[in-house]
Amino acid sequence: MATPQPDSLPLKGRRILVCRPQPEADRLASRFCDAGADARVMPLIAREPLPEDPATRTLILNLDEFAHVIAVSPYAAALLLEWLDEWWPQTPTGIHWYGVGAGTATVLGNYGLQTRQPETGHTSEDLLQLQELATLNHEKVLVVRGEEGRELIPQTLERRGARVTVLPLYRRFCPDYDKATLNAMLNDFSPEAIVTLSGETLNNLIALSDNTGHNLENTLLVVPVERIAEQARLAGLRRTCIPGSLADSSIVAAVAGQLASLDGGSGNTK
């Protein structure tokens, strides 16, 4: 095997903390390690399916009544497909399927569903730019998501004439870490960059950092969109990085470029 050249390890020796949920956290950390980083994982959001109830079962059994089905995350899409496997031997026809972002669309597409996704971007705002969702004359739309979530998609589609039903399939919560683990990850490891790909993750990180006395001001925070970057700035954290996409390779490249820029003394933040 050829010896890797220095340019192939753009994050050699860099300390990166990945706070995504599992299994995405381990997968992304592995990509950072491939780039030479010392990458560690501390998920700040955990997820679990909601218990089965009659209301959810009824919605699934009546899925063919909906003209549009939108999954807001890969996890939401995967849980929806489990329900389809259980109750629909043949996938109902005539439905327009949507994924908010390429990762979600891939989960649905791998199941054999012809799935629409934003032409550019990976946010709810980007999805709402699709022409198929521009005018909805009393069409029924099912939004599959977690127990709590942004109301942008349901509210916007209702204003456009849709009859929207929200189907929560899981709950999110912050894992319970003991003080020794938090000190090891935040203070002893002292990450140069932390991956926080949701507002909820960022809020949990800020709260835990306050509890451990860790100062995030000099830490590069990887956030998904400008809305979350502004959330960080309002908390006094100005070093943020927004990748071009949420693909693992894009996140790794963005962190490498931003840390190199900071080393150069430019102090640029996105």
Side-chain angles (χ1 to χ4, degrees), residues 40 165 195:
R40 304 189 186 181
T165 300
V195 179

Side-chain angles (χ1 to χ4, degrees), residues 194-264:
I194 303 179
V195 179
T196 58
L197 295 184
S198 73
E200 190 175 354
T201 302
L202 178 62
N203 284 337
N204 290 342
L205 174 66
I206 291 171
L208 293 175
S209 296
D210 288 344
N211 290 340
T212 59
H214 181 75
N215 189 345
L216 293 171
E217 288 185 7
N218 294 321
T219 306
L220 179 67
L221 300 175
V222 184
V223 297
V225 292
E226 175 58 32
R227 175 174 58 86
I228 309 302
E230 177 61 20
Q231 180 179 325
R233 287 192 288 271
L234 290 174
L237 308 173
R238 305 199 63 82
R239 286 191 169 183
T240 59
C241 169
I242 304 174
S245 78
L246 296 187
D248 292 348
S249 57
S250 182
I251 294 171
V252 171
V255 171
Q258 194 72 13
L259 288 179
S261 174
L262 292 171
D263 283 347

